[in-house]
Amino acid sequence: MNLPDTLPGSLLEGFFPDGWDLRTIDACVGEPGTARDRQPHWHADFEPVSCDTVEDFDVRMGHEIALTIRRTREAGKQLAMILPVGPMGMYRWAVFFLTEWGVDCGHVHGFNMDEWSDADGGTLPPSDPGAFTNAMTQAFYGPLGRAAPPESQRNFATAENLPTYAEKIAALKADGAELVTVFGVGRVCHIAFWEPHFAAEYDSEADWKAATHRLGAKLHPLTVEQNAITSFKSRTTLVPAYANTIGPGLFLQSDRIIGGCDGVLGRGMQWQGLSFWTTLRHEPTPWIPSTYMPTLPGRLFYLDELEGPLEAECN
């Protein structure tokens, strides 16, 4: 007895994205220790990186971000970075390494990948505790001090600015800049807030891949609940039902990716294991946006616990 067996006639019938086959998704789950086994659709330079603890994860992912910034600085290249608010712990260590190494980040152009919004794309004031602008200022730009990217190079996903991302990034790349996307994987396998159910609105995969952004995107209920747990201390009533977000037309242009899966809650509880395995093992499809990330060069840092075993355990 399981969810696919009992779904017909239940309150969850019609809840999941139309393009999801729950049995196929469940079959993506492998044995602990096998998550790094290469899959045919992975890019030759894509690598999952195992981390023992959250502290290990934060340091290693932060180090990767800092190395990318230092490498491009030393090469005399501009760097466009698409940045998430979640995961977040790596920013502290990115700041630590950049400060220790004395790296100036004046060549970095930050593009926050998403932001909470209303149905029209209106966003929270930058100083609001829930605003991603505030989160990035507190975690990354502010602590870098004088070494931080100029404010004119810090882009946030407001209704006015998000539609300019594609043109700005194209201009930077045309001038030789590198594009790196830093990301997490959502409960519904979204990248940024690019949700699975958006796939139904496109006539082809090519059209889906060309979409650069969306204002006032309707969030899946699982996304709202994930964020109630991870960012709003269980208070679902504080989580907006819409968000502004970049699309695959931007993140699939990445020259390199730096991903992170740290969705472990403690006491044996977690929320990200199935999403992690699906990202790695399911064939790429617009109905599961994160499945495209292994087709790009880069690294996905993850906590060992996400490998499982993903079996029932009453907590």
Side-chain angles (χ1 to χ4, degrees), residues 64-308:
E64 188 78 6
I65 292 170
L67 277 177
T68 300
I69 292 172
R70 186 175 73 173
R71 173 177 57 79
T72 50
R73 180 73 179 182
E74 291 174 347
K77 298 173 67 174
Q78 296 292 299
L79 174 62
M81 295 196 87
I82 295 175
L83 298 167
V85 173
M88 288 292 288
M90 72 283 186
Y91 287 125
R92 172 175 172 242
W93 288 99
V95 170
F96 171 81
F97 288 115
L98 291 168
T99 302
E100 284 289 298
W101 300 335
V103 177
D104 186 280
C105 300
H107 65 301
V108 176
H109 301 255
F111 294 86
N112 255 68
M113 58 172 47
D114 45 22
E115 179 60 275
W116 301 114
S117 79
D118 58 25
D120 298 318
T123 52
L124 294 168
S127 60
D128 189 283
F132 293 172
T133 303
N134 181 64
M136 287 300 297
T137 300
Q138 296 298 321
F140 188 54
Y141 295 129
L144 282 172
R146 293 183 179 180
E151 289 193 22
S152 61
Q153 294 172 199
R154 308 175 196 176
N155 292 276
F156 298 99
T158 63
E160 298 75 28
N161 196 32
L162 179 59
T164 72
Y165 277 22
E167 184 178 357
K168 289 177 178 177
I169 290 173
L172 285 164
K173 292 195 75 171
D175 199 34
E178 190 170 319
L179 174 62
V180 174
T181 294
V182 184
F183 68 97
V185 174
R187 174 74 170 151
V188 290
C189 295
H190 65 211
I191 298 298
F193 278 131
W194 195 263
E195 303 282 66
H197 53 270
F198 299 167
E201 301 176 29
Y202 297 91
D203 293 331
S204 67
E205 181 184 36
D207 289 344
W208 180 87
K209 285 184 173 182
T212 59
H213 70 282
R214 186 173 289 218
L215 298 176
K218 289 184 179 180
L219 300 178
H220 193 276
L222 282 176
T223 294
V224 173
E225 272 306 289
Q226 174 205 320
N227 281 276
I229 292 169
T230 59
S231 300
F232 289 88
K233 299 185 185 297
S234 82
R235 200 169 168 186
T236 306
T237 50
L238 291 182
V239 187
Y242 299 88
N244 295 340
T245 181
I246 64 163
L250 294 184
F251 61 75
L252 292 184
Q253 289 188 46
S254 301
D255 297 297
R256 195 161 182 83
I257 60 170
I258 302 171
C261 290
D262 64 345
V264 169
L265 302 174
R267 290 195 292 132
M269 295 182 287
Q270 58 161 282
W271 61 268
Q272 204 174 26
L274 181 59
S275 307
F276 166 72
W277 277 107
T278 303
T279 297
L280 293 178
R281 294 288 178 90
H282 199 289
E283 65 179 14
T285 170
W287 287 100
I288 309 176
S290 65
T291 54
Y292 286 91
M293 302 317 279
T295 70
L296 300 169
R299 288 178 159 181
L300 176 62
F301 297 87
Y302 69 93
L303 290 178
D304 290 343
E305 192 173 334
L306 297 178
E307 289 200 51

